[in-house]
Amino acid sequence: MSISFLVLAFFLQYCFTSSLYHPLDPLNSTEINQIKLIIQKSKLGGLPDLTFHSVDLEEPDKRYVLKWLSASKQGKTNLPRQSKVVVRGGGETHELVVDLGTDSIKSHHIYTGHGYPPLTFNELFKASKLPLSYPKFKNEMIRRGLNLSEVSCIPFTVGWPIGGISMLVDVDKMKITVYIDTRRVPLPKAEGTDFRSPKGKPDSIICNLTNTRLTIEGHKVKWGNWVLHVSFDARAGIIISTASIFDAKFNKFRRILYRGHVSETFVPYMDPTSEWYFKTFMDVGEFGFGRAADTLQPMIDCPANAKYMDGYVAGADGQAQQFPNVICIFERYDGNVAWRHTEINVPGKVIRSGEPEINLVVRMVATVGNYDYVLDWEFKNSGTIKVGVHLTGILEMKATSYTINDQITENVYGTLVADNVVAVNHDHYVTYYLDLDVDGNGNSFIKSKLQTARVTNINVSPRKSYWMVIRETVKREAEARVRLGLKPTELLIVNPNKKTKLGNHVGYRLIPGQPVASLLSDDDYPQIRAAYTKYQVWVTAYNKSERWAGGLNRQIENRDIVMWYTVGFHHVPCQEDFPVMPTIHGGFELRPANFFESNPLLSQPQKCTKTC
Amino acid sequence: MSISFLVLAFFLQYCFTSSLYHPLDPLNSTEINQIKLIIQKSKLGGLPDLTFHSVDLEEPDKRYVLKWLSASKQGKTNLPRQSKVVVRGGGETHELVVDLGTDSIKSHHIYTGHGYPPLTFNELFKASKLPLSYPKFKNEMIRRGLNLSEVSCIPFTVGWPIGGISMLVDVDKMKITVYIDTRRVPLPKAEGTDFRSPKGKPDSIICNLTNTRLTIEGHKVKWGNWVLHVSFDARAGIIISTASIFDAKFNKFRRILYRGHVSETFVPYMDPTSEWYFKTFMDVGEFGFGRAADTLQPMIDCPANAKYMDGYVAGADGQAQQFPNVICIFERYDGNVAWRHTEINVPGKVIRSGEPEINLVVRMVATVGNYDYVLDWEFKNSGTIKVGVHLTGILEMKATSYTINDQITENVYGTLVADNVVAVNHDHYVTYYLDLDVDGNGNSFIKSKLQTARVTNINVSPRKSYWMVIRETVKREAEARVRLGLKPTELLIVNPNKKTKLGNHVGYRLIPGQPVASLLSDDDYPQIRAAYTKYQVWVTAYNKSERWAGGLNRQIENRDIVMWYTVGFHHVPCQEDFPVMPTIHGGFELRPANFFESNPLLSQPQKCTKTC
């Protein structure tokens, strides 16, 4: 035992002294290809239909990561690099943990539960080509007067849909098993569907934000008073880890967010008929926001001063694929004030002061078929983390015989947005995993309820009422789910072991967005899968394995806890959403609440160097 | 009669041919001074204590304004210029309508109801000086070891408060009538209260937004596809009038907002004790957002590319006072996308397109004592109007004997934010007057309710539920008040007389902000004054005289109607809010919903000329 430990220690030193990995760095292309080789050399390599569904970093335990971070530069050695891999072959799903240091498979589990791993783009692509050589379909296209070379079959709407035909593909056998042709509706016109900008590429809008306060070393980002780690994951897309803020009053960095990322999305459509009822996408689990990450367009998706990061994802064959420029990082000045005041009541003086607000934005775009999700993490010098979810792209549409609203007497489950085109009603729920570690691991979840108090003694006050704050520490998970918008309540994550000098518990407050919750009935199949969307907020005990769902009923007071927050949208389409949607905005904030001794903006110098 | 008409017509031509007024232009300094002279020459001029409380434009009737706007340039003549004036003298409040064309008082009404006109700054200033020569107060200050020359008495908190002393001033007699000295608490320290930015004036953040799409002629603003009128009012601050958008598909301007402005604010504090119970400010009516408008700081309050407008307000003596640079107007690029999409499913092509979002912002800052309200009207090329309310400045605070939270066992109605300083719990309600004229005057208010529908026939669908939209046209005012956040409902103002080509009613949708409503009990005196804050949305029939309150129960279907929307904040202070608050943001949007035939962004060329 002690010998093998020595060997491992020697090996680590030998291999990695030249390059120090941050333990949460994503797998790079060399590592992904190394994993492919390890698996191909194993007995799994003999399976003829071996397909790689996911190759993710298996993160070291949180305590090791925290220890590594707090070690001095000289004291840092690389933690073991491991990967969690899901492959499919021989009709079975294999979950593996691969160790890169020892070139070995550390664990191998054959999954026997319900469900399948996310579809690969390879599978989606192959499935989409099958109908083009399927005789019934080919004949029907000819009967409808269409040119087969212009027909595209996909699980998403593109351009304009051909109504009435559904096919079921067995992806393992890569065969069409069901063909349904229910109805023939007019083909919507192509006219007015071109969404390309008539303006061409805009001239650059250059602001003299020179990112002088920004440094990016590998995946480590330093900006102003913030330090954070930005990673890229095939499933989640951007992962923000170990975000800490410098507190000038105490001359030290203080921990806030151990990890934050999109955990799941749920997009149920509200048309229950046979062609549409199953459209209840969970894009992150089914496709992956990282795999759907789009190369960002400079000057359109990100401003001129943006810096870019690439991502690496394993293809269906296990080979590393480079996704260029999938994350952009930039300073943003949106024209707002961080704070300002004019004081005219100090004898003999007028004091007028303030500061423009300049923030750091970390952005990606996931284009999941028709929809484009612009996903922002914004960091403010005030300590606020603002998460933005911006929706644009193309609506899911269906063909219809109608050309004018007055003809419609049945329920079409959507809005007529063009001749013969109905855009279908739907929801979007984007659920965030937020492992907040406010000044340490031991945190509690607080509901601060604003309750009306009656004044009964008129000798005390001529007023009859006021509101007061009733603070309630939530003990167990079952009481920690919250449906917003019903009663005025502030939600906080505090550290019960740390107080400000004035004796207030240090904390962060959730500033929610619109209180949108799923309207599907609890017994509906898609709702059972996405049961968490009935409440916008959940708080659970930290468990390394739980990143993509909730559960159980554990104690959460003064523990390492995780907040789950869902950004929701109900979308009744309108004509302005055709052929491409103007962006709609949602999100939430995590804002310091007695975390600092006073307004941190007054103690941190801000450089705005002019270069333009 | 016909002779006097001729004289008037001649007079109008004589005086105004050289300069054509927009009928909604605010009174300029010449006009304000002319009004002063007219009143001084009248019998009111003899009153020794004559004080001017408000001198506002008396707007022409809407039908005349609309007629004027639709007339050709040659056909335009100035509409009569009139002013509504409130003066106080001889212990009475006089409401006058003054006609500038005929140099005469058209009507004179002595107000006999409850209440007083807004206090002038002159009165506030004089009242604040009274205690400094009031023996009891002077002696108490000496006993407390204070230097009288450093003491400032104001109705707002400044720097740090001296606890325990309240005085009541009869402003008509300008005398202290009540002096209360209840308690002596430690004077909070000055240390840490200086809120001036340590960074000095920032280097300019210049974006090459060159406003090439922006023209300002007097108060008429043209930008991109928008045309609007920006006025300045002593009570409301910014008034946006006659905002129309160019519809490229029909090659014409279409009406949206006849007028929008802040109607009232309500800021109740939650401390019911004798020194605080009365702090339930209605700043717009009591002081005026225009009178409290602050000169804007370039590079801090507004970006480098901003253009500025001055405002003119009558002083207590009736003389015009110039308020320099109180409105700024600028193009803003906040780094977001207006729309984008990447389409990979068109055979043989990858289509990637999009546009950065560039908007127009019209901004003012009202500094009402301690608080600073940054008030934005933002216009987007997509047709959206976004209203922003940003709060910053200094909290209302009180002195306390406590220096650490653990000592506090009583209810202090707020948060200990510094040694011996409690910032008091409070609310902000900013109520907007929104006279929407969507494609004409005849508009209806629609509640589109999203209701869960059960699927009962499993032959129809394997799904069990979906939501559908139940549209309800609101007939009368009583049903047109809405408490948001309880049920998912989209609120629209539609024109029932106009449809898109596809037969959808043209409309605009309210996108509300956080659903905050007052928690005070209905019978509480401040709540009776601000009863409207129990609901976020009201819709009433248009009535020229109703701009500062609601009422009655009139029909509102297919009428000229007005929407009232309240932006609300509950504020539990935290230490980060001391000594000056990081800005918090609220607001709402008015977004086109089937107003356009399709996404208007695709049909309007956008110029972003590079000059930097």
Side-chain angles (χ1 to χ4, degrees):
Chain A
M1 193 69 168
S2 65
I3 291 169
S4 71
F5 178 75
L6 274 173
V7 171
L8 179 64
F10 171 77
F11 181 82
L12 280 171
Q13 278 216 314
Y14 177 78
C15 284
F16 297 110
T17 34
S18 58
S19 66
L20 201 63
Y21 283 86
H22 187 293
L24 302 178
D25 276 355
L27 298 168
N28 63 31
S29 60
T30 312
E31 291 174 318
I32 292 170
N33 293 337
Q34 186 188 346
I35 292 159
K36 179 189 174 176
L37 281 175
I38 295 168
I39 291 169
Q40 279 180 335
K41 281 182 197 160
S42 78
K43 60 177 180 183
L44 289 168
L47 297 172
D49 57 348
L50 185 72
T51 306
F52 286 73
H53 288 263
S54 73
V55 178
D56 295 328
L57 177 71
E58 173 74 353
E59 297 184 6
D61 280 358
K62 189 166 175 175
R63 59 200 158 126
Y64 297 127
V65 176
L66 293 174
K67 207 170 159 188
W68 189 92
L69 286 172
S70 62
S72 67
K73 221 166 194 170
Q74 293 77 7
K76 276 188 172 57
T77 49
N78 279 316
L79 294 181
R81 293 283 285 174
Q82 299 192 332
S83 172
K84 183 156 198 168
V85 180
V86 178
V87 295
R88 209 167 148 76
E92 288 181 316
T93 301
H94 304 265
E95 295 176 331
L96 315 165
V97 175
V98 173
D99 188 87
L100 288 148
T102 57
D103 248 323
S104 64
I105 294 174
K106 300 284 284 186
S107 85
H108 180 177
H109 171 71
I110 295 176
Y111 178 82
T112 54
H114 291 295
Y116 289 91
L119 289 171
T120 65
F121 275 116
N122 211 21
E123 288 167 337
L124 292 171
F125 182 77
K126 280 187 187 166
S128 76
K129 295 296 175 208
L130 288 179
L132 303 179
S133 55
Y134 191 74
K136 271 191 196 169
F137 181 76
K138 283 168 70 176
N139 293 339
E140 180 60 27
M141 289 303 102
I142 291 158
R143 267 202 292 279
R144 294 190 186 201
L146 296 171
N147 182 346
L148 209 62
S149 70
E150 290 174 10
V151 170
S152 176
C153 297
I154 37 162
F156 322 106
T157 309
V158 47
W160 54 102
I162 301 162
I165 303 177
S166 304
M167 277 165 274
L168 193 63
V169 175
D170 180 326
V171 174
D172 274 340
K173 300 190 180 122
M174 204 44 84
K175 269 182 67 177
I176 291 170
T177 54
V178 179
Y179 179 88
I180 304 164
D181 184 356
T182 54
R183 62 197 177 103
R184 204 171 292 172
V185 288
L187 185 74
K189 286 180 290 188
E191 189 200 328
T193 63
D194 189 350
F195 62 82
R196 280 169 292 188
S197 175
K199 296 141 208 172
K201 193 152 185 160
D203 294 326
S204 72
I205 305 155
I206 296 172
C207 297
N208 60 347
L209 295 165
T210 53
N211 303 327
T212 48
R213 300 192 301 149
L214 173 65
T215 58
I216 304 176
E217 285 170 16
H219 293 268
K220 198 172 161 185
V221 175
K222 285 188 194 176
W223 175 79
N225 44 352
W226 284 95
V227 57
L228 49 127
H229 184 269
V230 176
S231 182
F232 181 77
D233 180 83
R235 182 162 182 164
I238 288 173
I239 296 181
I240 302 292
S241 300
T242 59
S244 296
I245 194 162
F246 187 75
D247 187 334
K249 283 221 172 144
F250 296 101
N251 198 34
K252 65 170 186 184
F253 277 94
R254 296 171 65 193
R255 291 169 55 199
I256 296 170
L257 185 71
Y258 181 73
R259 182 174 23 223
H261 59 76
V262 175
S263 175
E264 191 49 276
T265 54
F266 177 48
V267 186
Y269 282 80
M270 298 302 152
D271 180 340
T273 60
S274 63
E275 281 175 67
W276 279 78
Y277 74 89
F278 55 86
K279 296 197 175 184
T280 56
F281 304 107
M282 296 179 84
D283 291 324
V284 170
E286 289 169 355
F287 306 104
F289 262 14
R291 276 184 287 268
D294 198 6
T295 292
L296 298 163
Q297 311 166 84
M299 318 298 173
I300 294 174
D301 292 323
C302 312
N305 59 312
K307 299 187 176 191
Y308 294 86
M309 262 187 200
D310 296 339
Y312 293 90
V313 168
D317 60 356
Q319 193 71 20
Q321 295 179 345
Q322 185 184 17
F323 283 29
N325 295 354
V326 281
I327 295 177
C328 70
I329 301 178
F330 57 93
E331 281 194 318
R332 146 148 81 189
Y333 169 55
D334 66 1
N336 285 331
V337 296
W339 65 271
R340 64 100 63 211
H341 185 57
T342 302
E343 185 57 67
I344 56 167
N345 292 306
V346 174
K349 281 186 198 172
V350 172
I351 304 171
R352 185 179 278 124
S353 195
E355 271 179 50
E357 182 166 290
I358 299 171
N359 302 328
L360 185 77
V361 177
V362 181
R363 172 176 294 173
M364 70 166 287
V365 173
T367 301
V368 194
N370 56 309
Y371 257 105
D372 297 65
Y373 293 83
V374 182
L375 301 157
D376 285 355
W377 288 86
E378 185 166 5
F379 296 86
K380 304 192 183 195
N381 286 305
S382 62
T384 291
I385 301 174
K386 187 176 174 182
V387 174
V389 177
H390 314 287
L391 301 184
T392 175
I394 293 181
L395 292 170
E396 284 251 22
M397 293 171 281
K398 63 181 180 184
T400 173
S401 58
Y402 304 117
T403 53
I404 188 155
N405 206 35
D406 301 344
Q407 300 161 341
I408 306 176
T409 51
E410 58 173 346
N411 192 344
V412 294
Y413 312 109
T415 306
L416 194 66
V417 295
D419 287 351
N420 303 121
V421 180
V422 164
V424 177
N425 296 332
H426 60 283
D427 290 337
H428 293 267
Y429 300 96
V430 182
T431 300
Y432 280 83
Y433 172 98
L434 302 163
D435 181 4
L436 285 155
D437 286 357
V438 177
D439 239 0
N441 286 4
N443 282 190
S444 295
F445 179 46
I446 305 280
K447 294 182 189 173
S448 268
K449 297 181 178 175
L450 275 52
Q451 284 184 0
T452 304
R454 282 293 287 184
V455 178
T456 44
N457 185 344
I458 57 158
N459 295 325
V460 171
S461 171
R463 276 269 282 277
K464 289 180 187 286
S465 68
Y466 60 96
W467 55 252
M468 53 193 289
V469 182
I470 311 294
R471 272 171 82 99
E472 196 177 89
T473 302
V474 181
K475 305 284 182 195
R476 302 188 79 86
E477 289 176 338
E479 293 92 53
R481 58 184 195 182
V482 182
R483 197 166 293 167
L484 297 167
L486 302 177
K487 294 211 167 164
T489 305
E490 298 198 342
L491 303 177
L492 300 115
I493 300 284
V494 304
N495 187 326
N497 316 301
K498 299 270 173 74
K499 287 182 177 179
T500 62
K501 284 182 183 170
L502 295 172
N504 292 309
H505 281 301
V506 306
Y508 257 72
R509 191 184 147 203
L510 172 73
I511 313 292
Q514 283 296 317
V516 176
S518 176
L519 297 172
L520 295 182
S521 56
D522 289 341
D523 62 345
D524 206 352
Y525 307 109
Q527 188 59 41
I528 291 167
R529 288 177 78 200
Y532 57 88
T533 55
K534 287 277 169 170
Y535 298 84
Q536 290 93 357
V537 180
W538 298 74
V539 177
T540 61
Y542 175 82
N543 179 321
K544 191 184 164 188
S545 70
E546 289 176 8
R547 286 180 53 196
W548 317 108
L552 305 176
N553 187 24
R554 294 157 297 194
Q555 291 198 345
I556 55 169
E557 188 181 2
N558 201 2
R559 301 286 167 110
D560 190 357
I561 56 179
V562 174
M563 179 180 270
W564 308 74
Y565 179 78
T566 297
V567 179
F569 302 86
H570 297 301
H571 195 167
V572 180
C574 57
Q575 286 183 238
E576 285 82 358
D577 296 332
F578 184 85
V580 67
M581 270 175 64
T583 307
I584 56 174
H585 306 275
F588 63 94
E589 286 182 30
L590 298 166
R591 192 186 295 165
N594 301 314
F595 184 84
F596 293 106
E597 294 291 329
S598 62
N599 185 342
L601 292 170
L602 299 189
S603 47
Q604 283 135 14
Q606 197 169 335
K607 281 187 210 151
C608 317
T609 312
K610 187 178 161 181
T611 60
C612 202
Chain B
M1 190 69 166
S2 65
I3 290 169
S4 71
F5 178 76
L6 273 173
V7 170
L8 178 64
F10 171 79
F11 179 82
L12 280 170
Q13 279 218 312
Y14 177 79
C15 284
F16 297 111
T17 34
S18 58
S19 65
L20 201 62
Y21 283 87
H22 187 293
L24 301 178
D25 277 355
L27 298 168
N28 62 31
S29 59
T30 313
E31 291 175 318
I32 292 170
N33 293 337
Q34 185 189 348
I35 292 159
K36 178 189 175 175
L37 281 175
I38 294 168
I39 291 169
Q40 281 182 331
K41 281 181 194 160
S42 78
K43 61 181 180 180
L44 290 168
L47 297 172
D49 57 350
L50 184 72
T51 307
F52 285 75
H53 288 263
S54 73
V55 177
D56 295 327
L57 177 71
E58 172 76 352
E59 295 184 5
D61 280 357
K62 190 167 175 175
R63 61 198 156 125
Y64 297 128
V65 175
L66 293 174
K67 207 170 159 188
W68 189 92
L69 286 171
S70 62
S72 66
K73 218 164 195 173
Q74 293 76 6
K76 277 185 171 56
T77 49
N78 280 313
L79 294 180
R81 294 285 283 176
Q82 298 194 332
S83 171
K84 182 155 198 167
V85 181
V86 177
V87 295
R88 207 166 149 77
E92 287 180 316
T93 302
H94 305 265
E95 296 175 331
L96 315 165
V97 174
V98 175
D99 188 88
L100 288 148
T102 57
D103 248 322
S104 64
I105 294 172
K106 300 284 285 187
S107 84
H108 181 178
H109 170 73
I110 294 175
Y111 178 82
T112 54
H114 290 297
Y116 289 91
L119 289 171
T120 65
F121 275 117
N122 210 23
E123 288 167 338
L124 292 170
F125 182 79
K126 280 187 185 166
S128 76
K129 294 296 173 206
L130 287 179
L132 303 179
S133 54
Y134 191 75
K136 272 191 195 167
F137 182 77
K138 283 168 70 177
N139 294 339
E140 180 60 25
M141 289 303 102
I142 291 159
R143 267 202 293 276
R144 294 191 185 201
L146 296 171
N147 181 345
L148 208 60
S149 70
E150 291 173 10
V151 171
S152 176
C153 298
I154 39 165
F156 322 106
T157 309
V158 48
W160 53 101
I162 302 161
I165 303 177
S166 304
M167 279 166 273
L168 192 63
V169 175
D170 180 328
V171 174
D172 274 340
K173 297 189 181 124
M174 203 47 81
K175 269 181 69 177
I176 291 169
T177 54
V178 178
Y179 180 86
I180 303 164
D181 185 354
T182 54
R183 61 198 179 104
R184 205 172 291 174
V185 288
L187 185 71
K189 286 180 290 189
E191 187 198 332
T193 62
D194 190 348
F195 62 82
R196 280 169 292 187
S197 175
K199 297 142 207 173
K201 193 155 187 161
D203 293 328
S204 73
I205 306 156
I206 297 173
C207 296
N208 59 348
L209 295 166
T210 52
N211 303 326
T212 48
R213 301 193 299 149
L214 173 63
T215 57
I216 304 176
E217 286 170 18
H219 294 267
K220 197 172 161 184
V221 175
K222 285 188 195 177
W223 175 79
N225 45 351
W226 283 96
V227 57
L228 49 124
H229 184 268
V230 176
S231 181
F232 180 78
D233 180 83
R235 183 163 183 163
I238 288 173
I239 295 179
I240 302 291
S241 300
T242 59
S244 296
I245 194 161
F246 188 74
D247 188 332
K249 284 223 171 144
F250 295 101
N251 198 33
K252 65 171 186 182
F253 278 94
R254 295 171 65 192
R255 290 168 57 198
I256 296 170
L257 185 71
Y258 182 73
R259 178 167 34 215
H261 60 76
V262 176
S263 174
E264 191 50 275
T265 55
F266 177 48
V267 187
Y269 283 80
M270 297 301 151
D271 180 341
T273 60
S274 64
E275 281 176 64
W276 279 79
Y277 75 89
F278 55 86
K279 296 195 176 185
T280 56
F281 304 107
M282 296 179 84
D283 290 325
V284 171
E286 290 169 357
F287 304 105
F289 262 13
R291 275 183 287 268
D294 198 5
T295 292
L296 298 163
Q297 309 167 84
M299 318 298 174
I300 294 174
D301 293 323
C302 313
N305 60 313
K307 299 188 175 191
Y308 294 85
M309 263 186 200
D310 297 338
Y312 293 90
V313 167
D317 60 357
Q319 194 72 17
Q321 295 179 344
Q322 185 184 17
F323 283 29
N325 295 355
V326 282
I327 296 177
C328 71
I329 301 176
F330 57 93
E331 280 194 320
R332 146 147 80 188
Y333 169 55
D334 65 3
N336 285 330
V337 296
W339 65 271
R340 67 102 59 212
H341 184 58
T342 301
E343 185 58 65
I344 56 166
N345 292 306
V346 174
K349 281 186 198 172
V350 171
I351 304 171
R352 187 179 276 123
S353 195
E355 272 177 51
E357 183 166 292
I358 300 171
N359 302 328
L360 184 78
V361 177
V362 181
R363 172 177 292 174
M364 70 167 286
V365 173
T367 302
V368 194
N370 56 309
Y371 257 106
D372 297 63
Y373 293 83
V374 181
L375 301 157
D376 286 355
W377 288 87
E378 185 166 5
F379 297 86
K380 304 191 181 194
N381 287 305
S382 62
T384 292
I385 302 173
K386 187 176 174 183
V387 174
V389 177
H390 314 288
L391 301 185
T392 175
I394 295 182
L395 292 170
E396 284 252 22
M397 293 170 281
K398 62 181 181 183
T400 173
S401 59
Y402 304 117
T403 54
I404 187 154
N405 206 35
D406 302 344
Q407 300 162 341
I408 305 176
T409 52
E410 60 173 343
N411 191 344
V412 295
Y413 313 109
T415 305
L416 195 66
V417 294
D419 287 352
N420 303 121
V421 179
V422 165
V424 177
N425 296 332
H426 61 282
D427 291 336
H428 292 267
Y429 300 97
V430 182
T431 301
Y432 280 84
Y433 172 97
L434 302 163
D435 181 4
L436 284 154
D437 287 356
V438 176
D439 239 0
N441 285 5
N443 282 186
S444 295
F445 179 45
I446 305 282
K447 294 182 188 172
S448 268
K449 298 180 179 175
L450 274 51
Q451 284 184 359
T452 304
R454 284 291 287 182
V455 178
T456 45
N457 184 345
I458 56 157
N459 296 325
V460 171
S461 172
R463 276 269 285 274
K464 289 182 187 285
S465 67
Y466 61 96
W467 55 251
M468 52 192 289
V469 182
I470 311 293
R471 274 171 80 98
E472 193 181 288
T473 302
V474 181
K475 305 285 182 194
R476 303 187 78 86
E477 289 176 337
E479 293 92 56
R481 57 185 196 183
V482 181
R483 197 168 291 167
L484 297 168
L486 303 178
K487 297 212 166 163
T489 306
E490 300 198 338
L491 303 177
L492 300 115
I493 300 285
V494 304
N495 187 326
N497 316 301
K498 298 270 173 73
K499 287 182 178 178
T500 63
K501 284 180 183 169
L502 296 172
N504 292 309
H505 281 301
V506 306
Y508 257 71
R509 189 182 148 205
L510 173 73
I511 313 291
Q514 284 296 316
V516 176
S518 176
L519 296 172
L520 295 181
S521 56
D522 289 341
D523 63 345
D524 206 353
Y525 307 109
Q527 189 58 43
I528 291 166
R529 286 177 78 200
Y532 58 89
T533 56
K534 287 277 169 170
Y535 298 83
Q536 291 93 357
V537 180
W538 298 75
V539 177
T540 60
Y542 175 82
N543 179 322
K544 191 184 164 187
S545 69
E546 288 175 10
R547 286 179 55 195
W548 318 107
L552 305 174
N553 186 24
R554 293 157 298 193
Q555 291 198 344
I556 55 169
E557 188 180 1
N558 202 0
R559 303 287 168 110
D560 191 357
I561 57 180
V562 174
M563 178 180 270
W564 308 73
Y565 179 78
T566 297
V567 179
F569 302 86
H570 296 303
H571 195 166
V572 180
C574 59
Q575 286 183 237
E576 286 82 357
D577 296 333
F578 184 84
V580 68
M581 272 175 63
T583 307
I584 55 172
H585 305 276
F588 64 95
E589 285 183 29
L590 298 166
R591 192 186 295 166
N594 300 315
F595 183 83
F596 293 105
E597 294 291 329
S598 62
N599 185 341
L601 292 170
L602 300 188
S603 46
Q604 283 136 17
Q606 199 168 332
K607 281 186 210 154
C608 317
T609 312
K610 187 178 161 185
T611 59
C612 202

